[in-house]
């Protein structure tokens, strides 16, 4: 982290992308600024954003490979230049983009002599290969190479263990993190109590999403983590007779999702629909995740869709649509149009 003194005029809080480039199909770079911030805020935001960028964003990769002709990971196959271990490492480096849930199957089935690349992977329509030229293996003789693959979406890093071996398949160390690296630096200006800071964020991604998309996703994940603290719960009756040192002598006002709905019903000029996020509703986690991945974040986004639009969402079921309609009917007394 670097601190520098720079002269900048005071202005309203804003963010901006100051640099963006594509070094390769699997390496994107972006540099962003957020300013002006009070002393200490830049460090707080920078540390939280870096952790969210590296650990909270989901990615897709190959987690398992299986071939009937390969007895174990450290064996070699006649006619193939690379060892089995090298082929698994090449499969680990393939960058995928998808919104899938759970595990999906893919495969490679080619005949040599030829060079096998990511383009030879037969994957489901919901999975996209970012760089189809990524190398997998070199077949030196006219032999068949058939590999069954498993593709998963998750977050963080999953290390293979001896318990991972099933049905003769070879697990692959899964690097789900689409953000390869993230740094932040702070530039200060002003003196004394008027001292302010500018936060610089640098983000490198693997090409499955842009740095701007990664910044947006990390911000949404951080917001989701803090939303529970916005909902004050009613005091436990058992604690009323035996107050603890943490019990306040008054009741804190709380502002829940239903309070917002009540205000909207009473006053049309109340809280705008775009300020009510779907994660404040009573939607099940699966339904919420499907909506979020379709860029439906607020109640306004949801009310702009029809029932037909919702059914087009990947992995969405008729039961999910019924749950949404029930909540809208219960809280707003409105229905989504069918078409």
């Amino acid at each position: 982290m670097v601190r520098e003194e720079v002269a900048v005029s005071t202005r309203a809080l804003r963010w901006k992308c100051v640099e963006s480039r594509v070094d390769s199909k699997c390496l994107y770079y972006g540099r962003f600024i957020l300013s002006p911030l009070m002393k200490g805020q830049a460090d707080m935001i920078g540390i939280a954003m870096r952790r969210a960028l590296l650990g909270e964003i989901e990615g897709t990769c190959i987690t398992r490979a299986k071939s009937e002709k390969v007895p174990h990971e450290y064996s070699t196959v006649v006619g193939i230049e690379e060892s089995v271990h090298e082929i698994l490492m090449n499969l680990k480096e393939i960058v995928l983009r998808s919104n899938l849930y759970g595990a999906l199957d893919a495969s490679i089935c080619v005949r040599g002599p030829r060079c096998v690349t990511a383009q030879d992977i037969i994957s489901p329509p919901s999975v996209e290969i970012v760089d189809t030229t990524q190398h997998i293996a070199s077949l030196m003789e006219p032999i068949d190479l058939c590999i069954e693959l498993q593709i998963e979406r998750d977050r963080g890093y999953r290390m293979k263990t001896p318990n991972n071996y099933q049905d003769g398949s070879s697990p692959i160390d899964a690097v789900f993190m689409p953000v390869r690296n993230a740094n932040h630096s702070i530039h200060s200006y002003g003196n004394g109590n008027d001292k302010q800071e500018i936060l610089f964020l640098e983000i490198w991604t693997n090409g499955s999403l842009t740095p701007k998309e990664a910044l947006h996703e990390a911000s949404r994940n951080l917001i989701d983590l803090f939303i529970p603290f916005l909902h004050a719960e009613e005091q436990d009756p058992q604690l009323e007779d035996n107050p603890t040192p943490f019990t306040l002598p008054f009741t804190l006002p709380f502002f829940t999702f239903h309070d917002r709905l009540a205000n909207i019903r009473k006053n049309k000029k109340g809280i705008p629909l775009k300020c009510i996020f779907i994660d404040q509703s009573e939607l099940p986690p699966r339904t919420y995740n499907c909506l979020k991945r379709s860029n439906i974040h607020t109640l306004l986004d949801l009310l702009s869709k029809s029932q037909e639009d919702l059914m087009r969402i990947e992995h969405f079921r008729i039961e999910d649509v019924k749950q949404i309609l029930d909540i809208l009917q219960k809280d707003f007394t409105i229905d989504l149009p069918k078409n």
Side-chain angles (χ1 to χ4, degrees):
M1 185 177 66
V2 181
R3 292 182 182 270
E4 299 178 7
E5 297 290 338
V6 295
V8 182
S9 59
T10 305
R11 61 187 67 183
L13 186 65
R14 64 179 182 85
W15 77 276
K16 181 181 179 182
C17 178
V18 294
E19 185 179 354
S20 179
R21 67 172 184 264
V22 179
D23 295 331
S24 67
K25 290 183 179 180
C26 295
L27 185 59
Y28 286 38
Y29 171 80
R31 192 166 186 244
F32 308 87
I33 62 171
L34 178 66
S35 68
L37 295 166
M38 297 175 61
K39 184 178 179 180
Q41 289 181 339
D43 215 10
M44 176 178 61
I45 297 174
I47 293 174
M49 284 301 302
R50 185 176 186 274
R51 286 180 175 271
L53 286 165
L54 294 175
E56 296 296 325
I57 301 180
E58 293 184 345
T60 305
C61 63
I62 299 172
T63 58
R64 192 176 296 275
K66 179 182 178 181
S67 179
E68 295 180 356
K69 297 182 179 180
V70 178
H72 57 81
E73 177 183 351
Y74 299 101
S75 61
T76 58
V77 179
V78 177
I80 301 180
E81 182 176 344
E82 294 83 2
S83 65
V84 175
H85 179 72
E86 290 174 328
I87 294 176
L88 294 177
M89 291 301 99
N90 292 335
L91 291 172
K92 174 183 175 180
E93 296 298 323
I94 293 176
V95 180
L96 304 174
R97 181 190 294 118
S98 78
N99 288 324
L100 64 87
Y101 288 90
L104 293 180
D105 295 328
S107 63
I108 299 174
C109 193
V110 295
R111 182 172 179 80
R114 57 169 297 179
C115 181
V116 184
T117 64
Q119 187 175 6
D120 298 309
I121 298 177
I122 304 172
S123 60
S126 59
V127 178
E128 177 186 351
I129 300 173
V130 174
D131 185 5
T132 57
T133 64
Q134 287 183 272
H135 180 76
I136 297 178
S138 297
L139 305 185
M140 311 304 295
E141 299 179 8
I143 61 173
D144 293 325
L145 176 64
C146 294
I147 306 176
E148 298 177 10
L149 304 174
Q150 180 177 282
I151 299 174
E152 293 184 65
R153 182 179 177 87
D154 206 339
R155 65 181 63 183
Y157 182 85
R158 184 194 302 168
M159 184 178 294
K160 63 182 180 181
T161 63
N163 297 330
N164 290 140
Y165 291 86
Q166 299 174 359
D167 304 327
S169 62
S170 301
I172 301 174
D173 288 338
V175 184
F176 296 104
M177 301 176 292
V179 177
R180 291 189 171 184
N181 195 13
N183 290 329
H184 80 278
S185 60
I186 301 171
H187 301 260
S188 304
Y189 62 95
N191 297 312
N193 295 332
D194 296 330
K195 195 169 185 178
Q196 294 181 321
E197 298 175 337
I198 301 175
L199 172 64
F200 281 79
L201 278 171
E202 291 182 290
I203 302 173
W204 291 262
T205 67
N206 63 2
S208 62
L209 77 173
T210 65
K212 184 177 180 180
E213 291 172 337
L215 185 62
H216 179 270
E217 184 67 18
S219 302
R220 287 296 309 163
N221 288 337
L222 282 176
I223 292 173
D224 292 345
L225 291 175
F226 286 108
I227 277 180
F229 294 105
L230 299 178
H231 302 281
E233 298 179 353
E234 294 183 1
Q235 189 176 9
D236 191 339
Q238 296 179 357
L239 299 178
E240 292 180 355
D241 298 331
N242 300 310
T244 65
F246 301 100
T247 304
L248 298 176
F250 56 87
T251 302
L252 288 174
F254 57 93
F255 198 49
T256 63
F257 177 76
H258 298 289
D259 294 322
R260 295 190 175 202
L261 300 180
N263 285 342
I264 292 174
R265 294 193 192 102
K266 293 178 181 179
N267 184 6
K268 293 182 179 179
K269 296 182 180 180
I271 303 170
L273 300 181
K274 64 181 181 181
C275 293
I276 303 178
F277 293 93
I278 59 172
D279 38 20
Q280 295 172 277
S281 64
E282 299 173 351
L283 291 173
R286 183 185 176 282
T287 306
Y288 162 70
N289 289 330
C290 287
L291 293 175
K292 182 180 176 183
R293 297 187 191 285
S294 300
N295 292 322
I296 300 176
H297 303 292
T298 66
L299 198 58
L300 182 63
D301 298 335
L302 181 59
L303 295 179
S304 66
K305 303 294 182 181
S306 66
Q307 298 181 33
E308 231 177 55
D309 295 332
L310 296 180
M311 285 304 300
R312 294 194 189 99
I313 296 177
E314 190 173 9
H315 304 293
F316 223 59
R317 304 171 302 185
I318 186 65
E319 292 83 1
D320 302 326
V321 177
K322 290 180 178 178
Q323 287 176 332
I324 293 174
L325 294 177
D326 291 341
I327 291 177
L328 290 178
Q329 182 65 34
K330 173 185 174 183
D331 296 327
F332 284 98
T333 322
I334 60 174
D335 291 317
L336 291 179
K338 291 186 177 180
N339 299 319

